[in-house]
Amino acid sequence: MAAGLRRQMATTLAAFGIQVESMHHEVATGQHEIDFRYSDALTTADNAVTFRVALKAIAQKHGLYCTFLPKPIRGDAGSGMHVHQSLVYTQTGTNAFADPGDSHGLSSIARHFIAGQLAHAHGMCAVLAPWSIRTNASTPVTKRRSICAGRASIAPP
């Protein structure tokens, strides 16, 4: 059922002009990953919203739920929607974030980009991830969300 549902989702996304690059089952029960092709910033933002709405509608049509909540099932692997970001010089097509001479391979532009995102992360979360979900009854509601950044996939402390 899951593979057929993912294929239906990919076909629907293609009808909206969203190119699916890959899709597969993930770690948790009922957890799946569908990756779509990047584009310019505005088109990608529109595609992300269309992606979420379309997948939720398809799941509902089959009596299922589609969620992008970070931890919908206590004790199971987390979910969510992550975004890979890049910046390219339009004249040359080269990666504006890369600096082979830097110890981490990051340009000054990349470092400023990361600093700006970290400085505004809590405000961006109000728009990008508006729903808070508690998975542990002992966690106070007032606890702030953790913001983290790293060179590899990492979980917040």
Side-chain angles (χ1 to χ4, degrees), residues 13-77:
L13 292 171
F16 282 107
I18 300 172
Q19 180 185 349
V20 172
E21 291 192 320
S22 66
M23 56 186 177
H24 57 88
H25 187 274
E26 271 290 349
V27 177
T29 304
Q31 186 182 55
H32 303 274
E33 180 170 315
I34 300 176
D35 302 324
F36 65 87
R37 180 89 176 147
Y38 64 87
S39 186
D40 63 274
L42 184 57
T43 301
T44 300
D46 286 346
N47 287 348
V49 171
T50 302
F51 177 94
R52 289 173 56 116
V53 171
L55 270 53
K56 285 176 174 278
I58 293 167
Q60 186 178 30
K61 180 179 169 185
H62 292 276
L64 301 168
Y65 293 97
C66 175
T67 181
F68 296 91
L69 292 171
K71 194 78 170 166
I73 302 170
R74 184 180 181 158
D76 215 340

Side-chain angles (χ1 to χ4, degrees), residues 103-154:
S103 61
H104 295 292
L106 295 173
S107 69
S108 174
I109 289 173
R111 292 178 185 278
H112 284 89
F113 182 88
I114 293 166
Q117 287 197 318
L118 291 173
H120 297 284
H122 285 285
M124 291 184 333
C125 282
V127 174
L128 302 173
W131 301 108
S132 170
I133 184 167
R134 293 188 325 143
T135 58
N136 184 338
S138 65
T139 304
V141 175
T142 57
K143 183 177 179 183
R144 292 182 66 168
R145 293 182 183 147
S146 296
I147 302 298
C148 63
R151 294 183 63 214
S153 293
I154 58 172

